Amino acid sequence: MSENIGKPILWIVIPCYNEEEVLPVTAPLFLQRIKEMASSGMISDKSRILFVNDGSKDRTWELIEDLAKSDEHYIGISQSRNRGHQNAVLAGLMEAKDVCDITISIDCDGQDDITAMDKMVAAYLDGAEVVYGVRSSRDTDTFFKKFTAESFYKILNWMGAEVVYNHADYRLLSSRVLNEFADFHEVNIYLRGMVPLVGFRSATVYYERHERIAGSSHYPLTKMLHLAFDGITSLSIKPISIITGIGSIVSFIGFIGIIWAIVVALSGDGFPGWASTVCMILFLGGIQLISIGVIGTYIGKIYMESKHRPRYIISEKTWEPYERHYKG
C-alpha cells in the first residue's frame, strides 16, 4: 500500500512577473517548506511548487526551467503574454485543480509567512475547504498604504462585496472548491471577492507579513488603484445606485433653484447672475461626467464579458510529459 494514501497532494501556486532577483532566494524556501511538510506526513511527497510566469521580460522563465530541471518538486507554466497578477493566479489554479487535492496561492516575494502553510493544511484536514491567510497587523506598511488599504476593505464591504478583511491572495483552496470555481466565467477577475462567493466551509489563519526579500514591488500606486476600482466594479453595482441618489439630490436642488429664480424674476429683484450660473453649469457638468464615466466602466465590462475571450493562454509547460503521474 502506498505511503501517500490519505495524504493530500498540495500544489503551491506562485505567480511570477519579472522576478529574476527574488526567485533564486525564495524558491529554495518554498522547496524546504514543502519537503518538511511531506516528511512530517502532513502532505504527499507528490506535492509540487507551480511557478506561473506572467509574460516576464527578464530571465524569470529561464530560471523556472532551470529549477524544474534541478528538482522534481519545481514545475512551471508560462503565459503567452502578460495578463496581470489575478489572471496568473487563476491560470495556476485551473491548471492544478485536476491533479492535486489542495492548492495554496502565494506571492513570490517572500513577504507572506510560508510557515503559515502548516496551519492552512491543518485547517483543511480539520474540514475547511477554503483557508484564508489574513495579516495580523500592518506594522510594516507606511501610514498611507495602511490607511488606503484599510479604507478599501471598508468601502468594498459597504458596497456589498463579500471580502475578507486584510486578506490578499494567500489562501488554500480544495480541489472541490476549484472545480466549482471553474464555472465562474468572468473576464474581469478579482479573486479576493470571487472566492467567498463559492461558499463552503472556511477558516482563517493569521500571519505576520514581512518586508520584500529582494527586488522591487510590481504594484505601484497606479496598479493598486486600478485593482481597487476593478474589484469594486466587478463585485458591486452600488456605485450606480449612488449615482442615481446623487442625481436625484442634484435634481431636487435644481428644482428648488428654478422656483427661486422664478420668484425672484416675478418680484422684480433680479440681477445679473453670471457667477452663480457658471458655478451651476460646472457643478452639474462635473456630476454628469463622473456619472457617465462610472456607467461607461460597467458598460465596458459588459462588452468584455460578451466576447468570451480566454482569461489566460499557456504557451509552455515544464512538466507536460509527466503530469499524468502526479495523482493516482
Side-chain angles (χ1 to χ4, degrees):
M1 184 178 292
S2 171
E3 63 179 7
N4 286 311
I5 291 179
K7 300 176 184 178
I9 298 175
L10 165 66
W11 277 32
I12 302 176
V13 176
I14 307 171
C16 302
Y17 178 68
N18 293 343
E19 301 289 3
E20 66 176 359
E21 293 184 42
V22 74
L23 197 55
V25 181
T26 56
L29 300 178
F30 291 122
L31 180 61
Q32 180 184 0
R33 181 82 261 141
I34 207 169
K35 285 186 174 181
E36 289 178 354
M37 294 171 71
S39 63
S40 68
M42 181 172 285
I43 60 174
S44 167
D45 59 13
K46 294 182 180 180
S47 300
R48 297 292 182 263
I49 303 165
L50 172 59
F51 295 106
V52 183
N53 177 43
D54 187 25
S56 298
K57 296 181 176 68
D58 60 6
R59 296 182 60 252
T60 296
W61 179 241
E62 295 176 33
L63 293 175
I64 292 173
E65 289 182 309
D66 291 340
L67 288 169
K69 294 174 184 176
S70 69
D71 193 291
E72 65 177 356
H73 291 92
Y74 292 124
I75 55 178
I77 58 177
S78 182
Q79 296 205 94
S80 60
R81 58 179 289 267
N82 176 254
R83 298 297 299 271
H85 179 273
Q86 297 292 281
N87 290 78
V89 175
L90 179 70
L93 295 177
M94 292 299 100
E95 290 294 310
K97 68 181 178 65
D98 294 325
V99 288
C100 69
D101 300 302
I102 51 177
T103 64
I104 293 179
S105 56
I106 186 172
D107 288 340
C108 185
D109 54 21
Q111 289 187 277
D112 296 322
D113 183 7
I114 60 174
T115 62
M117 292 184 184
D118 298 58
K119 296 179 182 178
M120 289 182 172
V121 175
Y124 165 76
L125 295 174
D126 196 40
E129 301 279 356
V130 180
V131 184
Y132 299 104
V134 176
R135 296 179 62 172
S136 56
S137 68
R138 286 188 170 271
D139 295 337
T140 58
D141 288 349
T142 63
F143 171 79
F144 177 75
K145 187 171 182 179
K146 180 179 180 180
F147 174 77
T148 53
E150 291 180 347
S151 298
F152 169 63
Y153 285 109
K154 291 176 182 178
I155 290 172
L156 267 180
N157 281 301
W158 179 67
M159 290 285 183
E162 192 176 341
V163 293
V164 179
Y165 191 73
N166 273 342
H167 165 68
D169 290 292
Y170 189 18
R171 71 178 72 87
L172 179 148
L173 298 175
S174 70
S175 58
R176 182 184 181 190
V177 172
L178 289 174
N179 284 320
E180 296 298 334
F181 191 74
D183 292 329
F184 285 61
H185 301 296
E186 287 98 326
V187 173
N188 303 285
I189 302 169
Y190 187 70
L191 296 175
R192 303 176 196 182
M194 293 171 65
V195 169
L197 296 177
V198 182
F200 294 105
R201 181 179 173 184
S202 65
T204 299
V205 168
Y206 293 93
Y207 70 95
E208 290 289 336
R209 187 171 171 85
H210 312 297
E211 296 289 342
R212 185 181 176 91
I213 290 180
S216 57
S217 174
H218 302 304
Y219 255 90
L221 179 61
T222 53
K223 280 192 175 182
M224 291 175 61
L225 291 174
H226 177 76
L227 180 64
F229 188 69
D230 208 35
I232 292 173
T233 54
S234 296
L235 298 172
S236 173
I237 60 170
K238 197 165 184 177
I240 294 182
S241 300
I242 293 173
I243 286 174
T244 303
I246 292 174
S248 299
I249 294 171
V250 171
S251 297
F252 179 72
I253 294 173
F255 179 71
I256 294 176
I258 291 172
I259 295 176
W260 172 80
I262 293 173
V263 171
V264 170
L266 293 176
S267 64
D269 296 328
F271 56 89
W274 65 270
S276 59
T277 302
V278 170
C279 289
M280 288 299 295
I281 291 174
L282 292 177
F283 175 69
L284 292 174
I287 293 293
Q288 289 173 340
L289 289 175
I290 293 173
S291 302
I292 291 171
V294 174
I295 295 171
T297 298
Y298 280 96
I299 294 174
K301 288 181 178 290
I302 295 171
Y303 173 68
M304 294 303 297
E305 295 288 350
S306 67
K307 290 178 176 294
H308 300 293
R309 290 175 177 170
R311 295 175 292 184
Y312 64 90
I313 298 174
I314 303 301
S315 59
E316 295 179 76
K317 294 183 180 182
T318 64
W319 84 92
E320 193 166 13
Y322 313 103
E323 61 184 354
R324 66 179 180 277
H325 299 302
Y326 284 145
K327 191 172 184 181

